[in-house]
Amino acid sequence: MRDYRSESLENYLDDLAAKLPAPGGGSVVALVGALGVGLLSMVSNFTIGKDRYRRSEKEIKKILKRSEDLRERLTELVEEDIRVDGKVSRAYNLSGATDKEKEVRLQAIEKACKEALIAPLKVARYCVEGLELARRLVQIGNVRLVSDVGIAAGLLEAALKGAELNVKINLNTIADRNFVEEKRKNIGSLVRNRLKIKDEILRESEDKIENP
Amino acid sequence: MRDYRSESLENYLDDLAAKLPAPGGGSVVALVGALGVGLLSMVSNFTIGKDRYRRSEKEIKKILKRSEDLRERLTELVEEDIRVDGKVSRAYNLSGATDKEKEVRLQAIEKACKEALIAPLKVARYCVEGLELARRLVQIGNVRLVSDVGIAAGLLEAALKGAELNVKINLNTIADRNFVEEKRKNIGSLVRNRLKIKDEILRESEDKIENP
């Protein structure tokens, strides 16, 4: 099976746009999250080793370690989301000719749809962590790259919001009310402060750009 | 010279995060714009040919044609931004040993920095066009994929805001005041309504998710 992580940007974009089961919005939000934390790693790498930022060097190294960890996890989810989408499609394609088959099919769909929530919930959690890193990096990172921290904040917020939409539309297909309520609460608490944090980072980034 | 469009997602992300001159924030916002309009093409492709949406088919085909055109242009800018960044670096690296050389170097920097604004301004314009397509698609596109239109709107707004930050930080390096004022006005008018349009699309997307 092909793994989109080793596909070219062009192929990924072509398959995204096409009438194909994958990749779709779930994989894209993971990729945008990975691009966001990738920018944070870049800014950290261009801060470490500079005299002017020596006082913060230890903290920046910690931020870099965390952003690289998040990047690896989010990049895995670019592919993971596609794999799980395949399971949902296969469940819907099961035969429902007899009552017994109908029952098996419905249970397979419910199971696959529940599993399909894991990836967007992870994406959301990692993007929240990325935003926390950006909030600090905009204060102590290399000021020449402060626009990149602002860009990262915008991308992470957009990916987080996108993950919320994915979770919500998937919840519509699940019958288990307790499960639905629990996941609705999970995503609700993850997205709650996203705009406030993003705006705070953007304000500081723009302030430093306008008063260099 | 390598072309990042044919590089794997993994390589692109690795080089982004590393202490390398490229790719950086400018290339990333072009890529996120391309992902946004790619999602709009996907939704259009899954709407065309369905009985339920036959009345809008002609309009959706027009949206698809435009979103695919924007996707091609934004994908080109993923690479274009890297090429122009290289020019800026080479100008800064020119020798400034004599007065004559200093003058040549400063003029080369000014010229390269002016050229470096072209890509983010194009990204901004294409993202504005993408948002306009999304505003219509959320109304007439396949409702099963309405979350993907919402995701696209968030990504296009974030890419547009990112392009604005790129323009603003680049303007700091340019001496020509008339040029700076003109470009500041250009980007200002492009970003003006972005949050209003994004919120409008997100509201309609979430409304349709919650009342399926």
Side-chain angles (χ1 to χ4, degrees):
Chain A
M1 218 184 97
R2 68 199 291 191
D3 184 324
Y4 276 99
R5 286 169 292 185
S6 52
E7 288 285 335
S8 71
L9 293 185
E10 228 154 16
N11 285 355
Y12 182 88
L13 283 162
D14 283 347
D15 284 4
L16 169 66
K19 194 177 177 175
L20 287 171
S27 174
V28 165
V29 293
L31 176 54
V32 173
L35 291 166
V37 294
L39 281 170
L40 300 182
S41 296
M42 177 184 84
V43 176
S44 303
N45 274 319
F46 278 102
T47 308
I48 292 166
K50 295 224 182 299
D51 272 357
R52 182 172 168 190
Y53 303 100
R54 194 177 298 160
R55 273 188 3 163
S56 310
E57 180 141 328
K58 216 172 138 187
E59 190 178 353
I60 301 267
K61 280 184 176 164
K62 271 192 198 161
I63 290 175
L64 174 60
K65 195 162 176 288
R66 191 70 198 120
S67 63
E68 284 297 270
D69 180 45
L70 291 172
R71 184 164 72 89
E72 196 187 328
R73 289 162 190 261
L74 284 160
T75 308
E76 274 169 20
L77 289 164
V78 172
E79 182 61 26
E80 172 74 3
D81 190 84
I82 294 170
R83 203 187 55 74
V84 177
D85 265 359
K87 272 200 181 176
V88 174
S89 301
R90 280 194 297 282
Y92 273 104
N93 286 334
L94 286 175
S95 163
T98 66
D99 282 355
K100 176 68 192 158
E101 279 183 353
K102 266 182 200 142
E103 179 60 25
V104 169
R105 178 173 174 273
L106 276 181
Q107 281 181 8
I109 292 172
E110 176 92 351
K111 187 162 173 273
C113 285
K114 282 183 174 179
E115 214 185 309
L117 282 173
I118 298 173
L121 280 167
K122 278 187 188 171
V123 169
R125 205 166 69 235
Y126 299 151
C127 288
V128 170
E129 287 188 49
L131 280 170
E132 291 298 343
L133 298 180
R135 172 140 73 166
R136 188 66 183 135
L137 201 55
V138 79
Q139 296 169 341
I140 60 172
N142 188 333
V143 72
R144 281 203 316 112
L145 287 85
V146 77
S147 57
D148 294 302
V149 183
I151 293 168
L155 299 188
L156 290 165
E157 190 275 324
L160 176 50
K161 180 70 200 177
E164 183 195 17
L165 294 178
N166 280 330
V167 168
K168 283 187 172 173
I169 203 162
N170 279 347
L171 285 178
N172 284 345
T173 57
I174 294 171
D176 179 344
R177 299 319 297 167
N178 289 334
F179 181 90
V180 169
E181 269 324 295
E182 188 197 320
K183 297 302 168 191
R184 206 178 284 281
K185 271 184 199 157
N186 287 357
I187 191 67
S189 73
L190 285 167
V191 298
R192 192 162 301 133
N193 297 316
R194 63 174 223 291
L195 286 174
K196 191 176 145 283
I197 298 175
K198 182 198 74 163
D199 287 343
E200 195 183 310
I201 300 165
L202 275 179
R203 206 157 36 237
E204 185 146 356
S205 171
E206 294 197 285
D207 188 51
K208 286 186 172 175
I209 291 171
E210 270 152 41
N211 307 289
Chain B
M1 217 184 97
R2 68 199 291 191
D3 184 324
Y4 276 100
R5 287 170 292 185
S6 53
E7 287 285 334
S8 71
L9 294 185
E10 230 155 13
N11 285 355
Y12 182 88
L13 283 162
D14 284 346
D15 285 3
L16 169 66
K19 194 175 177 175
L20 286 171
S27 174
V28 165
V29 294
L31 176 53
V32 173
L35 291 166
V37 294
L39 281 170
L40 300 181
S41 296
M42 177 184 84
V43 176
S44 302
N45 275 318
F46 278 102
T47 307
I48 293 165
K50 295 226 183 299
D51 272 357
R52 183 174 167 188
Y53 302 102
R54 194 176 299 157
R55 272 187 4 163
S56 310
E57 180 141 329
K58 215 172 139 188
E59 190 178 354
I60 302 266
K61 279 183 178 165
K62 271 193 200 160
I63 290 176
L64 174 61
K65 194 164 176 289
R66 190 71 197 117
S67 63
E68 284 297 271
D69 180 45
L70 291 172
R71 183 164 73 87
E72 195 187 328
R73 288 163 190 261
L74 284 160
T75 308
E76 274 168 19
L77 289 164
V78 172
E79 182 61 25
E80 172 74 4
D81 190 83
I82 294 170
R83 203 187 55 74
V84 177
D85 266 358
K87 272 199 182 177
V88 175
S89 300
R90 280 193 299 281
Y92 273 104
N93 286 334
L94 287 175
S95 164
T98 66
D99 280 354
K100 176 69 191 155
E101 278 183 354
K102 266 183 201 141
E103 178 60 26
V104 169
R105 179 174 174 273
L106 276 180
Q107 281 181 7
I109 292 172
E110 177 93 351
K111 186 163 174 273
C113 286
K114 281 183 175 179
E115 213 184 311
L117 281 173
I118 299 174
L121 280 167
K122 277 188 188 169
V123 169
R125 204 166 70 234
Y126 299 152
C127 288
V128 169
E129 288 188 48
L131 280 170
E132 291 299 343
L133 298 180
R135 173 139 75 166
R136 187 67 183 133
L137 201 55
V138 78
Q139 296 169 341
I140 61 172
N142 188 333
V143 73
R144 282 203 315 111
L145 286 86
V146 78
S147 56
D148 293 302
V149 183
I151 293 168
L155 300 187
L156 290 165
E157 189 275 324
L160 176 50
K161 179 71 200 176
E164 184 196 15
L165 294 178
N166 281 331
V167 168
K168 283 187 172 171
I169 202 162
N170 279 347
L171 285 178
N172 284 345
T173 57
I174 294 172
D176 179 345
R177 297 321 297 168
N178 288 335
F179 181 90
V180 169
E181 269 324 296
E182 187 197 322
K183 296 303 169 190
R184 208 179 282 282
K185 270 185 199 155
N186 287 357
I187 191 67
S189 74
L190 284 167
V191 298
R192 192 162 301 131
N193 296 317
R194 62 174 223 290
L195 286 175
K196 192 178 145 280
I197 298 175
K198 182 197 75 161
D199 288 343
E200 194 183 310
I201 300 165
L202 274 179
R203 207 157 36 237
E204 184 145 356
S205 171
E206 294 197 284
D207 189 51
K208 285 186 173 174
I209 291 171
E210 270 152 41
N211 306 289

